[in-house]
Amino acid sequence: AETFCIVAADATSQGVPMVASPEVRWAAPEFQADPTDVKAIAKVMHHAWNSRGRLRMFDTNLHGLRRASEHSRAVWLNYFGV
């Protein structure tokens, strides 16, 4: 239930297929699964593994990660008045 998930961010930054819960809002919806549903996790893992050769998956997750990081940076800079 970690909302950012640094492990998923590290994997995404290195082009590794990953499955996350819907709590990781920057992750592409097609690579999210209910963390309490083993069948759903397995289905999405299968999809992620079979899609690993397609750059689109990683671009989608990487784009979401970058967007979330930029938003967080702006919030913190605003908070500190920078």
Side-chain angles (χ1 to χ4, degrees):
E2 182 183 346
T3 58
F4 182 78
C5 195
I6 195 71
V7 173
D10 284 344
T12 296
S13 73
Q14 298 304 306
V16 176
M18 65 99 185
V19 175
S21 80
E23 294 293 324
V24 182
R25 296 180 187 203
W26 56 263
E30 63 265 33
F31 300 105
Q32 295 178 356
D34 178 345
T36 63
D37 184 341
V38 174
K39 288 183 181 181
I41 294 168
K43 181 179 177 180
V44 177
M45 286 176 69
H46 182 72
H47 174 60
W49 182 255
N50 288 330
S51 300
R52 71 189 184 282
R54 289 187 255 150
L55 192 56
R56 183 194 159 295
M57 176 183 103
F58 303 115
D59 285 347
T60 303
N61 284 330
L62 193 56
H63 177 71
L65 175 59
R66 286 182 178 152
R67 195 172 60 242
S69 295
E70 290 167 7
H71 174 73
S72 295
R73 181 177 187 273
V75 168
W76 278 105
L77 289 175
N78 184 53
Y79 177 79
F80 288 112
V82 177

Coordinates of all heavy atoms in Angstrom, one line a residue:
A1 N 0.8 -1.2 0.0 CA 0.0 0.0 0.0 C 0.9 1.3 0.0 O 0.3 2.3 0.2 CB -0.9 0.0 1.2
E2 N 2.1 1.1 -0.2 CA 3.0 2.3 -0.3 C 2.6 3.1 -1.5 O 2.6 2.6 -2.6 CB 4.5 1.9 -0.4 CG 5.4 3.0 -0.4 CD 6.9 2.6 -0.5 OE1 7.2 1.4 -0.4 OE2 7.7 3.4 -0.8
T3 N 2.4 4.4 -1.3 CA 1.8 5.2 -2.4 C 2.9 5.7 -3.4 O 2.5 5.9 -4.6 CB 1.2 6.5 -1.8 OG1 2.1 7.2 -1.0 CG2 0.0 6.1 -1.0
F4 N 4.1 5.7 -3.1 CA 5.1 6.1 -4.1 C 5.9 4.8 -4.6 O 6.0 4.6 -5.8 CB 6.1 7.1 -3.7 CG 7.1 7.5 -4.7 CD1 6.7 8.4 -5.8 CD2 8.3 7.0 -4.8 CE1 7.6 8.7 -6.8 CE2 9.2 7.3 -5.8 CZ 8.8 8.2 -6.8
C5 N 6.3 4.1 -3.7 CA 7.0 2.8 -3.9 C 8.4 3.0 -4.7 O 8.5 2.9 -5.9 CB 6.2 1.8 -4.6 SG 6.9 0.1 -4.5
I6 N 9.4 3.3 -3.9 CA 10.7 3.5 -4.4 C 11.3 2.3 -5.2 O 12.0 2.5 -6.2 CB 11.7 4.0 -3.3 CG1 13.0 4.6 -3.9 CG2 12.0 2.9 -2.4 CD1 12.8 6.0 -4.6
V7 N 10.9 1.1 -4.8 CA 11.4 -0.1 -5.5 C 10.8 -0.1 -6.9 O 11.5 -0.4 -7.8 CB 11.0 -1.4 -4.7 CG1 11.3 -2.6 -5.5 CG2 11.7 -1.4 -3.3
A8 N 9.5 0.2 -7.0 CA 8.9 0.2 -8.3 C 9.5 1.3 -9.2 O 9.7 1.2 -10.4 CB 7.4 0.4 -8.2
A9 N 9.8 2.5 -8.5 CA 10.4 3.6 -9.2 C 11.8 3.2 -9.8 O 12.1 3.5 -10.9 CB 10.5 4.8 -8.3
D10 N 12.6 2.5 -8.9 CA 13.9 2.1 -9.3 C 13.8 1.1 -10.5 O 14.5 1.2 -11.5 CB 14.6 1.4 -8.2 CG 15.2 2.4 -7.2 OD1 15.3 3.6 -7.5 OD2 15.5 1.9 -6.1
A11 N 12.8 0.1 -10.4 CA 12.7 -0.9 -11.5 C 12.3 -0.1 -12.8 O 12.8 -0.4 -13.8 CB 11.6 -1.9 -11.1
T12 N 11.3 0.8 -12.7 CA 10.9 1.5 -13.9 C 12.0 2.3 -14.5 O 12.1 2.3 -15.7 CB 9.7 2.4 -13.5 OG1 8.6 1.6 -13.1 CG2 9.2 3.3 -14.7
S13 N 12.8 2.9 -13.7 CA 13.9 3.8 -14.2 C 14.9 2.9 -14.9 O 15.7 3.4 -15.8 CB 14.6 4.6 -13.1 OG 15.4 3.7 -12.3
Q14 N 15.0 1.6 -14.6 CA 15.9 0.7 -15.3 C 15.3 -0.2 -16.4 O 15.9 -1.0 -16.9 CB 16.6 -0.2 -14.2 CG 17.4 0.6 -13.2 CD 18.4 1.5 -13.8 OE1 19.3 1.0 -14.6 NE2 18.4 2.7 -13.6
G15 N 14.0 0.1 -16.7 CA 13.3 -0.6 -17.7 C 12.9 -2.0 -17.3 O 12.7 -2.9 -18.2
V16 N 12.8 -2.3 -16.1 CA 12.3 -3.6 -15.6 C 10.8 -3.7 -15.5 O 10.2 -2.8 -15.0 CB 13.0 -3.9 -14.2 CG1 12.5 -5.2 -13.6 CG2 14.5 -3.9 -14.3
P17 N 10.2 -4.7 -16.0 CA 8.8 -4.9 -15.9 C 8.3 -4.9 -14.4 O 9.0 -5.5 -13.6 CB 8.4 -6.2 -16.6 CG 9.6 -6.6 -17.3 CD 10.8 -5.9 -16.7
M18 N 7.2 -4.3 -14.1 CA 6.8 -4.3 -12.7 C 5.3 -4.2 -12.7 O 4.6 -3.8 -13.6 CB 7.4 -3.1 -11.9 CG 7.0 -1.7 -12.4 SD 5.7 -1.1 -11.3 CE 5.3 0.4 -12.1
V19 N 4.8 -4.8 -11.6 CA 3.3 -4.8 -11.3 C 3.2 -4.0 -9.9 O 4.0 -4.3 -9.0 CB 2.8 -6.2 -11.1 CG1 1.3 -6.2 -10.7 CG2 2.9 -6.9 -12.5
A20 N 2.3 -3.1 -9.9 CA 2.1 -2.3 -8.6 C 0.6 -2.4 -8.2 O -0.3 -2.7 -9.0 CB 2.5 -0.9 -8.9
S21 N 0.3 -2.0 -7.0 CA -1.1 -1.8 -6.6 C -1.6 -0.5 -7.1 O -0.8 0.4 -7.5 CB -1.2 -1.9 -5.1 OG -0.8 -0.6 -4.5
P22 N -2.9 -0.3 -7.2 CA -3.4 1.0 -7.6 C -3.0 2.1 -6.7 O -3.2 3.3 -7.1 CB -5.0 0.8 -7.5 CG -5.1 -0.7 -7.7 CD -3.9 -1.3 -7.0
E23 N -2.4 1.8 -5.5 CA -1.9 2.9 -4.7 C -0.8 3.7 -5.3 O -0.5 4.8 -5.0 CB -1.5 2.3 -3.3 CG -2.6 1.7 -2.5 CD -3.5 2.8 -2.0 OE1 -3.1 3.9 -1.7 OE2 -4.7 2.5 -1.9
V24 N 0.0 3.0 -6.2 CA 1.1 3.6 -6.9 C 0.5 4.3 -8.1 O 0.4 3.7 -9.2 CB 2.2 2.6 -7.3 CG1 3.3 3.3 -8.0 CG2 2.6 1.8 -6.1
R25 N 0.0 5.5 -7.9 CA -0.8 6.2 -8.9 C -0.1 6.5 -10.2 O -0.7 6.7 -11.2 CB -1.5 7.4 -8.3 CG -2.5 7.0 -7.2 CD -3.2 8.1 -6.6 NE -3.9 7.6 -5.4 CZ -4.9 8.2 -4.9 NH1 -5.3 9.4 -5.4 NH2 -5.6 7.7 -3.9
W26 N 1.2 6.6 -10.1 CA 2.0 7.0 -11.3 C 2.1 5.8 -12.2 O 2.5 5.9 -13.4 CB 3.3 7.6 -10.9 CG 4.2 6.7 -10.1 CD1 4.3 6.8 -8.7 CD2 5.1 5.7 -10.5 NE1 5.2 5.9 -8.3 CE2 5.7 5.2 -9.4 CE3 5.4 5.1 -11.7 CZ2 6.6 4.1 -9.4 CZ3 6.3 4.1 -11.8 CH2 6.9 3.6 -10.6
A27 N 1.9 4.6 -11.7 CA 2.1 3.4 -12.6 C 0.9 3.3 -13.6 O -0.2 3.6 -13.3 CB 2.1 2.1 -11.7
A28 N 1.2 2.8 -14.7 CA 0.2 2.6 -15.8 C -0.9 1.7 -15.3 O -0.6 0.6 -14.7 CB 0.9 2.0 -17.1
P29 N -2.1 2.0 -15.5 CA -3.2 1.2 -15.0 C -3.2 -0.3 -15.5 O -3.6 -1.2 -14.7 CB -4.5 1.9 -15.6 CG -4.1 3.3 -15.8 CD -2.6 3.2 -16.2
E30 N -2.7 -0.5 -16.7 CA -2.6 -1.9 -17.2 C -1.6 -2.8 -16.4 O -1.5 -4.0 -16.6 CB -2.4 -2.0 -18.7 CG -1.1 -1.4 -19.2 CD -1.2 0.1 -19.6 OE1 -2.0 0.8 -19.1 OE2 -0.4 0.4 -20.5
F31 N -0.8 -2.1 -15.6 CA 0.2 -2.8 -14.8 C 0.0 -2.7 -13.3 O 0.9 -2.8 -12.5 CB 1.6 -2.4 -15.2 CG 1.9 -2.6 -16.7 CD1 1.9 -1.6 -17.6 CD2 2.1 -3.9 -17.1 CE1 2.1 -1.9 -18.9 CE2 2.3 -4.2 -18.5 CZ 2.3 -3.2 -19.4
Q32 N -1.3 -2.5 -13.0 CA -1.7 -2.4 -11.6 C -2.6 -3.6 -11.3 O -3.4 -4.0 -12.2 CB -2.5 -1.1 -11.3 CG -1.6 0.1 -11.4 CD -2.5 1.4 -11.2 OE1 -3.7 1.3 -11.0 NE2 -1.8 2.5 -11.2
A33 N -2.5 -4.1 -10.1 CA -3.3 -5.3 -9.7 C -3.7 -5.1 -8.2 O -3.0 -4.5 -7.4 CB -2.6 -6.6 -9.9
D34 N -4.9 -5.6 -7.9 CA -5.3 -5.7 -6.5 C -4.3 -6.5 -5.7 O -4.1 -7.7 -6.0 CB -6.7 -6.3 -6.4 CG -7.3 -6.4 -5.0 OD1 -6.5 -6.3 -4.1 OD2 -8.5 -6.7 -4.9
P35 N -3.7 -5.9 -4.7 CA -2.6 -6.6 -3.9 C -3.2 -7.8 -3.1 O -2.4 -8.5 -2.5 CB -2.0 -5.5 -3.0 CG -3.1 -4.5 -2.9 CD -3.9 -4.5 -4.2
T36 N -4.5 -7.9 -3.0 CA -5.1 -9.0 -2.2 C -5.6 -10.1 -3.1 O -6.2 -11.1 -2.6 CB -6.2 -8.5 -1.3 OG1 -7.2 -8.0 -2.0 CG2 -5.6 -7.4 -0.3
D37 N -5.5 -10.0 -4.4 CA -6.0 -10.9 -5.4 C -4.9 -11.6 -6.1 O -4.4 -11.1 -7.1 CB -7.0 -10.2 -6.3 CG -7.7 -11.1 -7.3 OD1 -7.3 -12.3 -7.5 OD2 -8.7 -10.7 -7.8
V38 N -4.6 -12.8 -5.7 CA -3.4 -13.6 -6.3 C -3.6 -13.8 -7.8 O -2.7 -13.6 -8.6 CB -3.2 -14.9 -5.5 CG1 -2.2 -15.7 -6.2 CG2 -2.9 -14.7 -4.1
K39 N -4.8 -14.1 -8.2 CA -5.1 -14.4 -9.6 C -4.9 -13.1 -10.4 O -4.3 -13.1 -11.5 CB -6.5 -14.9 -9.8 CG -6.6 -16.4 -9.4 CD -8.0 -16.9 -9.6 CE -8.1 -18.4 -9.1 NZ -9.4 -19.0 -9.4
A40 N -5.4 -12.0 -9.9 CA -5.2 -10.7 -10.6 C -3.7 -10.3 -10.7 O -3.3 -9.9 -11.8 CB -6.0 -9.6 -9.9
I41 N -3.0 -10.5 -9.6 CA -1.5 -10.3 -9.6 C -0.8 -11.1 -10.7 O 0.0 -10.6 -11.5 CB -0.9 -10.5 -8.3 CG1 -1.5 -9.5 -7.3 CG2 0.6 -10.4 -8.3 CD1 -1.1 -9.8 -5.8
A42 N -1.2 -12.4 -10.7 CA -0.5 -13.3 -11.7 C -0.9 -12.9 -13.1 O 0.0 -13.0 -14.0 CB -1.0 -14.8 -11.4
K43 N -2.1 -12.6 -13.3 CA -2.5 -12.1 -14.7 C -1.8 -10.9 -15.1 O -1.3 -10.9 -16.3 CB -4.0 -11.9 -14.7 CG -4.6 -11.4 -16.0 CD -6.1 -11.2 -15.9 CE -6.6 -10.7 -17.3 NZ -8.1 -10.4 -17.2
V44 N -1.6 -9.9 -14.3 CA -0.9 -8.7 -14.6 C 0.6 -9.0 -14.8 O 1.3 -8.4 -15.6 CB -1.2 -7.6 -13.6 CG1 -0.4 -6.3 -14.0 CG2 -2.7 -7.2 -13.7
M45 N 1.1 -9.9 -13.9 CA 2.5 -10.2 -14.0 C 2.8 -10.9 -15.4 O 3.8 -10.6 -16.0 CB 2.9 -11.2 -12.9 CG 3.1 -10.5 -11.6 SD 3.5 -11.7 -10.2 CE 5.1 -12.2 -10.7
H46 N 1.9 -11.8 -15.8 CA 2.0 -12.4 -17.1 C 2.0 -11.4 -18.2 O 2.8 -11.4 -19.1 CB 0.9 -13.5 -17.2 CG 0.9 -14.2 -18.5 ND1 1.8 -15.2 -18.8 CD2 0.1 -14.1 -19.6 CE1 1.6 -15.7 -20.0 NE2 0.6 -15.1 -20.5
H47 N 1.1 -10.5 -18.1 CA 1.0 -9.4 -19.1 C 2.3 -8.6 -19.1 O 2.8 -8.3 -20.2 CB -0.2 -8.5 -18.8 CG -0.4 -7.3 -19.7 ND1 -0.5 -7.4 -21.1 CD2 -0.4 -6.0 -19.4 CE1 -0.6 -6.2 -21.5 NE2 -0.5 -5.3 -20.5
A48 N 2.8 -8.2 -17.9 CA 4.0 -7.4 -17.9 C 5.2 -8.1 -18.4 O 6.0 -7.6 -19.2 CB 4.3 -7.0 -16.4
W49 N 5.3 -9.4 -18.1 CA 6.4 -10.2 -18.6 C 6.4 -10.3 -20.1 O 7.4 -10.2 -20.8 CB 6.4 -11.6 -18.0 CG 7.6 -12.4 -18.4 CD1 7.6 -13.5 -19.3 CD2 9.0 -12.2 -18.0 NE1 8.8 -14.0 -19.5 CE2 9.7 -13.2 -18.7 CE3 9.6 -11.3 -17.2 CZ2 11.1 -13.3 -18.5 CZ3 11.0 -11.5 -17.0 CH2 11.7 -12.4 -17.7
N50 N 5.2 -10.6 -20.7 CA 5.0 -10.8 -22.1 C 5.1 -9.5 -22.8 O 5.4 -9.5 -24.0 CB 3.7 -11.5 -22.4 CG 3.7 -12.9 -22.1 OD1 4.8 -13.6 -22.1 ND2 2.6 -13.5 -21.7
S51 N 5.0 -8.4 -22.1 CA 5.1 -7.0 -22.8 C 6.4 -6.4 -22.6 O 6.7 -5.3 -23.1 CB 4.0 -6.1 -22.1 OG 2.7 -6.5 -22.3
R52 N 7.4 -7.1 -21.9 CA 8.6 -6.5 -21.6 C 9.4 -6.1 -22.8 O 10.3 -5.2 -22.7 CB 9.5 -7.4 -20.7 CG 10.0 -8.6 -21.4 CD 10.6 -9.6 -20.4 NE 11.2 -10.7 -21.1 CZ 10.6 -11.8 -21.5 NH1 9.3 -11.8 -21.5 NH2 11.2 -12.8 -22.1
G53 N 9.2 -6.7 -24.0 CA 9.9 -6.3 -25.2 C 9.4 -5.0 -25.8 O 10.0 -4.4 -26.7
R54 N 8.2 -4.6 -25.4 CA 7.5 -3.4 -26.0 C 7.9 -2.2 -25.1 O 7.6 -2.1 -24.0 CB 6.0 -3.6 -26.0 CG 5.6 -4.6 -27.0 CD 4.1 -4.6 -27.2 NE 3.7 -5.8 -26.5 CZ 2.5 -6.0 -25.9 NH1 1.7 -5.0 -25.8 NH2 2.2 -7.1 -25.3
L55 N 8.6 -1.3 -25.7 CA 9.1 -0.1 -25.0 C 7.9 0.7 -24.5 O 8.0 1.4 -23.5 CB 9.9 0.8 -26.0 CG 10.7 1.9 -25.3 CD1 11.6 1.3 -24.2 CD2 11.5 2.6 -26.3
R56 N 6.7 0.6 -25.1 CA 5.6 1.4 -24.7 C 5.2 1.3 -23.2 O 5.0 2.2 -22.5 CB 4.3 1.0 -25.6 CG 3.1 1.9 -25.3 CD 1.9 1.2 -25.9 NE 0.7 1.6 -25.3 CZ 0.3 1.4 -24.0 NH1 1.0 0.8 -23.2 NH2 -0.9 1.8 -23.6
M57 N 5.3 0.0 -22.7 CA 5.0 -0.2 -21.3 C 5.9 0.6 -20.4 O 5.5 1.3 -19.5 CB 5.2 -1.7 -21.0 CG 5.0 -2.0 -19.5 SD 5.2 -3.7 -19.1 CE 6.8 -3.6 -18.4
F58 N 7.2 0.5 -20.7 CA 8.2 1.3 -19.9 C 8.0 2.8 -20.1 O 8.2 3.5 -19.1 CB 9.6 0.8 -20.2 CG 9.7 -0.7 -20.0 CD1 10.0 -1.5 -21.1 CD2 9.5 -1.3 -18.8 CE1 10.1 -2.9 -21.0 CE2 9.6 -2.7 -18.6 CZ 9.9 -3.5 -19.7
D59 N 7.8 3.2 -21.3 CA 7.5 4.6 -21.5 C 6.3 5.1 -20.7 O 6.4 6.2 -20.1 CB 7.3 4.9 -23.0 CG 8.6 4.9 -23.8 OD1 9.7 4.8 -23.2 OD2 8.5 4.9 -25.0
T60 N 5.3 4.3 -20.7 CA 4.1 4.7 -19.9 C 4.4 4.9 -18.4 O 4.0 5.8 -17.8 CB 2.9 3.7 -20.2 OG1 2.7 3.6 -21.5 CG2 1.7 4.1 -19.5
N61 N 5.0 3.9 -17.9 CA 5.4 3.9 -16.4 C 6.4 5.0 -16.2 O 6.3 5.7 -15.2 CB 5.9 2.6 -16.0 CG 4.8 1.6 -15.7 OD1 3.7 1.9 -15.4 ND2 5.1 0.3 -15.9
L62 N 7.4 5.1 -17.0 CA 8.4 6.2 -16.9 C 7.8 7.6 -17.0 O 8.2 8.4 -16.2 CB 9.5 6.0 -17.9 CG 10.8 6.7 -17.6 CD1 11.4 6.5 -16.3 CD2 11.8 6.4 -18.7
H63 N 6.9 7.8 -17.9 CA 6.2 9.0 -18.0 C 5.5 9.4 -16.7 O 5.6 10.5 -16.2 CB 5.3 9.0 -19.2 CG 4.5 10.3 -19.4 ND1 5.1 11.5 -19.8 CD2 3.2 10.6 -19.2 CE1 4.2 12.4 -19.8 NE2 3.0 11.9 -19.4
G64 N 4.7 8.4 -16.2 CA 4.0 8.6 -15.0 C 4.9 8.9 -13.8 O 4.6 9.8 -13.0
L65 N 6.1 8.2 -13.7 CA 7.0 8.4 -12.7 C 7.6 9.8 -12.8 O 7.7 10.5 -11.8 CB 8.1 7.4 -12.8 CG 9.3 7.6 -11.8 CD1 8.9 7.5 -10.3 CD2 10.4 6.5 -12.1
R66 N 8.0 10.2 -14.0 CA 8.5 11.6 -14.1 C 7.5 12.7 -13.8 O 7.9 13.7 -13.1 CB 9.0 11.8 -15.6 CG 10.3 11.0 -15.8 CD 10.8 11.3 -17.2 NE 12.0 10.6 -17.5 CZ 12.5 10.1 -18.6 NH1 11.7 10.3 -19.7 NH2 13.6 9.5 -18.7
R67 N 6.3 12.5 -14.2 CA 5.2 13.4 -13.9 C 5.0 13.5 -12.4 O 4.9 14.6 -11.8 CB 3.9 13.0 -14.6 CG 2.9 14.1 -14.6 CD 1.7 13.8 -15.5 NE 1.0 12.6 -15.1 CZ 0.9 11.4 -15.7 NH1 1.4 11.3 -17.0 NH2 0.3 10.4 -15.2
A68 N 5.0 12.4 -11.7 CA 4.8 12.4 -10.2 C 6.0 13.1 -9.5 O 5.8 13.8 -8.6 CB 4.6 11.0 -9.7
S69 N 7.2 12.8 -10.0 CA 8.4 13.4 -9.4 C 8.4 14.9 -9.6 O 8.7 15.7 -8.7 CB 9.6 12.8 -10.0 OG 9.7 11.4 -9.7
E70 N 8.1 15.4 -10.8 CA 8.0 16.8 -11.1 C 7.0 17.5 -10.2 O 7.2 18.6 -9.7 CB 7.7 17.1 -12.5 CG 8.9 16.7 -13.4 CD 8.5 16.6 -14.9 OE1 7.4 17.0 -15.3 OE2 9.4 16.2 -15.7
H71 N 5.8 16.8 -10.0 CA 4.8 17.4 -9.2 C 5.2 17.5 -7.7 O 5.1 18.5 -7.1 CB 3.5 16.6 -9.3 CG 2.4 17.0 -8.3 ND1 1.7 18.2 -8.5 CD2 2.0 16.5 -7.1 CE1 0.9 18.3 -7.5 NE2 1.0 17.3 -6.7
S72 N 5.9 16.4 -7.2 CA 6.4 16.4 -5.9 C 7.4 17.5 -5.7 O 7.4 18.2 -4.6 CB 7.0 15.1 -5.5 OG 6.0 14.1 -5.5
R73 N 8.3 17.7 -6.6 CA 9.3 18.7 -6.6 C 8.7 20.1 -6.5 O 9.1 20.9 -5.6 CB 10.3 18.6 -7.8 CG 11.4 19.6 -7.8 CD 12.3 19.4 -9.0 NE 13.5 20.2 -8.9 CZ 13.5 21.5 -9.3 NH1 12.5 22.0 -9.9 NH2 14.6 22.2 -9.2
A74 N 7.7 20.3 -7.3 CA 7.0 21.6 -7.3 C 6.4 21.9 -5.9 O 6.4 23.0 -5.4 CB 6.0 21.7 -8.4
V75 N 5.7 20.9 -5.4 CA 5.1 21.0 -4.1 C 6.1 21.4 -3.0 O 5.9 22.3 -2.2 CB 4.3 19.7 -3.7 CG1 3.9 19.8 -2.2 CG2 3.1 19.6 -4.6
W76 N 7.2 20.7 -3.0 CA 8.3 20.9 -2.0 C 8.9 22.3 -2.2 O 9.1 23.1 -1.2 CB 9.3 19.9 -2.0 CG 8.9 18.7 -1.2 CD1 8.5 17.5 -1.7 CD2 8.8 18.5 0.2 NE1 8.2 16.6 -0.7 CE2 8.3 17.2 0.5 CE3 9.1 19.4 1.3 CZ2 8.1 16.8 1.8 CZ3 8.8 19.0 2.6 CH2 8.4 17.7 2.8
L77 N 9.2 22.7 -3.4 CA 9.8 24.0 -3.6 C 8.8 25.1 -3.2 O 9.2 26.1 -2.6 CB 10.1 24.2 -5.1 CG 11.4 23.4 -5.5 CD1 11.6 23.5 -7.1 CD2 12.6 23.8 -4.8
N78 N 7.5 24.9 -3.5 CA 6.5 25.9 -3.1 C 6.4 26.0 -1.5 O 6.4 27.1 -1.0 CB 5.2 25.5 -3.6 CG 4.1 26.6 -3.3 OD1 4.3 27.7 -3.6 ND2 3.0 26.1 -2.8
Y79 N 6.5 24.8 -0.9 CA 6.4 24.8 0.6 C 7.6 25.6 1.2 O 7.4 26.3 2.2 CB 6.5 23.3 1.1 CG 6.5 23.2 2.5 CD1 5.3 23.3 3.3 CD2 7.7 22.9 3.2 CE1 5.3 23.2 4.7 CE2 7.7 22.8 4.6 CZ 6.5 22.9 5.3 OH 6.5 22.8 6.7
F80 N 8.8 25.5 0.7 CA 9.9 26.1 1.2 C 10.1 27.5 0.6 O 11.1 28.2 0.9 CB 11.2 25.3 1.0 CG 11.2 24.1 1.9 CD1 11.2 22.8 1.3 CD2 11.4 24.2 3.2 CE1 11.2 21.7 2.2 CE2 11.4 23.1 4.1 CZ 11.3 21.9 3.5
G81 N 9.2 27.9 -0.3 CA 9.3 29.3 -0.8 C 10.4 29.5 -1.8 O 10.9 30.6 -1.9
V82 N 10.8 28.5 -2.4 CA 12.0 28.6 -3.4 C 11.4 28.9 -4.8 O 10.5 28.4 -5.2 CB 12.8 27.3 -3.4 CG1 13.9 27.4 -4.4 CG2 13.3 27.0 -2.0

